[in-house]
Amino acid sequence: MEQEPTGARRRLGAELRRLRVNAGLKLEDAAGGVGCSTSKISRLENGKGVPRPADVAALVEVYGGVAGVEAEMLERLVTESRTRGWWEPFTEGLRSDPHFLPPPGRYAAAESDATAVAAFDLTVLHGLLQTPAYAHAALRARLPGRPDWEIDQLVRLRGRRHEALTATPPLVLDAVVDEAVLARATGGPAVMAEQLDRLLTLSGLPDVTLRVLPFGAGPQRAHAGRFAILTVPDELGPDVVHTEGHAGESFLESPADLRTYREVFDEVRAAALGEDASRAAVSAHRDAHRSAVDDGPDERDVRTSS
């Protein structure tokens, strides 16, 4: 299967790093050999930016050259690194915001590389779990001044990400959701009833695990903010922790950061309800939202359906 550009760039970077180390060269040596800065070599090895074929060829020559299958592999990785990612048509023209809308393609690209995601959410459901109506309401609340077409693009991007859950092989999702997310009427009770029905359906997929952290569990370390741990194949680089808040988003790759967030996720997962009890909690909140719909029209439904 052809790799997405970000995955190809990370794989190319890993190969270039391997060739440099095998040649017994430091970053400074490689930079001096091709006449560029060490930061440029570092960015290439970390899979950041679009690699120029001439730069890669020059580095390979400094490292002693490659031939045969290895040369063909590097050439293919360079080509794939320069192609557009599937997410780019969904993000064209969107204005990012450091506080409320980081560049939306960055997380989508990282998620495309992943084989598994472990996520904790305490305000809204993870994007992989959202219905279009719920996503629209959540995004509209977060980006009140944006035109409708931008919100629609972001909703479509989330919908495209959902395909990973039923792909072959599927993305493995282990989600812990704070009960407040189920109770909060994002988009109004009709939207929530539909969303929680969808959540129950998704929780039945063989590679999706859903657990609810009940109100009775009390405060947890995880309540410091939502996060997702992305498991990445070894050949593409290290696993990644994605965090997001008012200060923007971060992608953390250090062993210490990964160890800390895995500990926090294990803690909140252990404090959450089991899978059957979690489904029962989702059902109960869905029924409560349905009852609110039956009791009469809700103003929030009117606002978010326009």
Side-chain angles (χ1 to χ4, degrees), residues 125-131 162-166 171 173 175 194-210 275 279 282:
L125 290 169
H126 191 277
L128 287 170
L129 301 171
Q130 296 178 4
T131 64
H162 294 179
E163 295 178 16
L165 296 178
T166 53
L171 177 68
L173 175 62
E194 177 194 42
Q195 172 63 75
L196 297 188
D197 256 339
R198 174 65 174 162
L199 191 57
L200 289 170
T201 299
L202 291 174
S203 69
L205 292 176
D207 291 285
V208 174
T209 302
L210 174 70
E275 292 184 62
R279 286 176 59 84
V282 173

Side-chain angles (χ1 to χ4, degrees), residues 226-294:
R226 53 92 37 216
F227 64 90
I229 305 169
L230 283 67
T231 301
V232 178
D234 291 340
E235 66 268 20
L236 297 185
D239 295 345
V240 178
V241 176
H242 177 259
T243 66
E244 193 174 353
H246 287 294
E249 69 175 349
S250 297
F251 290 87
L252 311 174
E253 298 181 350
S254 75
D257 288 331
L258 286 163
R259 183 169 56 252
T260 296
Y261 276 92
R262 283 174 177 141
E263 289 174 355
V264 171
F265 186 76
D266 288 345
E267 288 174 6
V268 75
R269 195 173 188 270
L273 301 172
E275 292 184 62
D276 290 342
S278 293
R279 286 176 59 84
V282 173
S283 296
H285 281 283
R286 177 203 56 194
D287 293 345
H289 289 298
R290 277 183 180 166
S291 295
V293 174
D294 293 339

Side-chain angles (χ1 to χ4, degrees), residues 16-41:
L16 291 175
R17 185 183 305 111
R18 178 183 63 81
L19 290 172
R20 176 177 61 78
V21 171
N22 288 348
L25 301 177
K26 297 180 179 179
L27 285 173
E28 294 81 2
D29 301 323
V34 297
C36 70
S37 66
T38 56
S39 63
K40 182 173 182 177
I41 305 298

